[in-house]
Amino acid sequence: MNYPDYRPRRMRRTENLRRMIRETRLAPDDFVYPLFVVPGTGVQKPISSLPGLFNFSVDKAVEEASRAADLGIPAVILFGIPEHKDAVGSEAWKDSGVVQKAIRAIKKARPQLIVMADACFCEYTDHGHCGVLHEGALDNDASLENLARAVVSYAKAGVDVVAPSGMLDGFVTACRESLDEQDFDQVAIMAYSAKYASGYYGPFREAVDSAPQEGDRRGHQMDPGNVAEALRECSMDVAEGADIIMVKPALAYLDVIRAVSDEINMPVAAYNVSGEYAMIEAAAERGWIDRDRVVMETLLGIRRAGADIIISYHAPLACKLLQKQR
Ligand code: PBG
Ligand code: ZN
């Protein structure tokens, strides 16, 4: 393998040569597309910190989900912004809640499309924390009881996958047991297993109005310095019954994605989060980078790091670009 006998450039000479020896590719199959659902009808409200993305009422969310399905995207993940917030986030488990309605409507319109529901309470509580508070601190086990109620309510509405995102200890067991008790043994669990306390969630919190009024989430989300702990979290979630494990955010944690995909024999999802989307959009808007190129390079990097599934706001754009390449 030495120059001049081996000349790597020979295989880079034309696009077909490059295509033939490409090791990693993107496909629509890889993506999950997030949707933010709000009460009302006919609502399609731009999210200022996420240009190109919207808060949709259920009817509009169905249209957007259908567009995603038509692009070949296999799954959407739903986030809800409730009518009313309260101290415990009770709208999260209301059978007439906005996510429950969206699940029913999307499954009716596109039965083959996988519908996932994020399950947490920060969008639903008036204080913005991910569960029930006890003397100002997150009460883990009390919050699990409500999480169990919420995932059963999503299952009743017809959800395919629930995605507990609160990083509470025992959250997968709470979901699996409650689902199985109600005969929803076919509802899968995508666990936010290694979710870091990150500044990259900023635009998302604006989109769903879920920033904590006081304090932060460092008491339950992971410390950014840790990777061995991410493996422990993933192993625990697998033992508790997770069907998919997740690393989140993606870009500052590509090494974690690699470690998890090497160590854990389960499908690995990576969440290409709101701040990662916003940075590309902001720089592209100023003409500083080529949006299409950087989006594809970024998503490919997440795949190359070992992610089987990529949750991304750029999923529809990526699928359109993949169609153009053919
Ligand atoms: C809710 C939740 C968050 C995200 C997904 N589910 C925010 C948070 O933990 O504050 C972040 C998604 C994104 O930034 O795109 N627990
Ligand atoms: Zn939360």
Side-chain angles (χ1 to χ4, degrees), residues 215-278:
D216 56 38
R217 307 211 205 290
R218 287 175 229 254
H220 51 112
Q221 297 180 348
M222 275 187 52
D223 190 276
N226 296 354
V227 58
E229 186 187 356
L231 296 172
R232 287 201 296 280
E233 282 280 5
C234 290
S235 310
M236 278 177 82
D237 288 355
V238 172
E240 291 180 29
D243 301 285
I244 302 168
I245 50 179
M246 191 200 297
V247 175
K248 172 182 176 192
L251 294 186
Y253 301 90
L254 292 172
D255 59 322
V256 181
I257 298 172
R258 168 51 55 204
V260 167
S261 90
D262 283 347
E263 296 291 325
I264 315 260
N265 181 15
M266 288 298 274
V268 177
Y271 201 137
N272 178 215
V273 299
S274 59
E276 298 170 348
Y277 174 93

Side-chain angles (χ1 to χ4, degrees), residues 107-189:
K107 286 307 288 185
K108 189 163 174 226
R110 303 301 294 247
Q112 306 302 322
L113 183 66
I114 299 164
V115 176
M116 305 182 164
D118 182 274
C120 198
F121 295 98
C122 42
E123 298 106 288
Y124 295 87
T125 52
D126 49 18
H127 43 72
H129 285 285
C130 301
V132 182
L133 294 183
H134 182 70
E135 287 169 0
L138 193 58
D139 183 333
N140 192 87
D141 298 6
S143 304
L144 290 182
E145 288 177 30
N146 292 342
L147 179 66
R149 294 189 175 102
V151 296
V152 166
S153 168
Y154 298 148
K156 282 186 193 153
V159 84
D160 297 294
V161 181
V162 293
S165 65
M167 285 298 280
L168 298 168
D169 294 340
F171 67 170
V172 176
T173 297
C175 293
R176 191 68 275 157
E177 281 182 354
S178 58
L179 290 169
D180 289 354
E181 266 167 31
Q182 307 278 324
D183 286 334
F184 293 117
D185 52 78
Q186 293 302 305
V187 171
I189 299 173

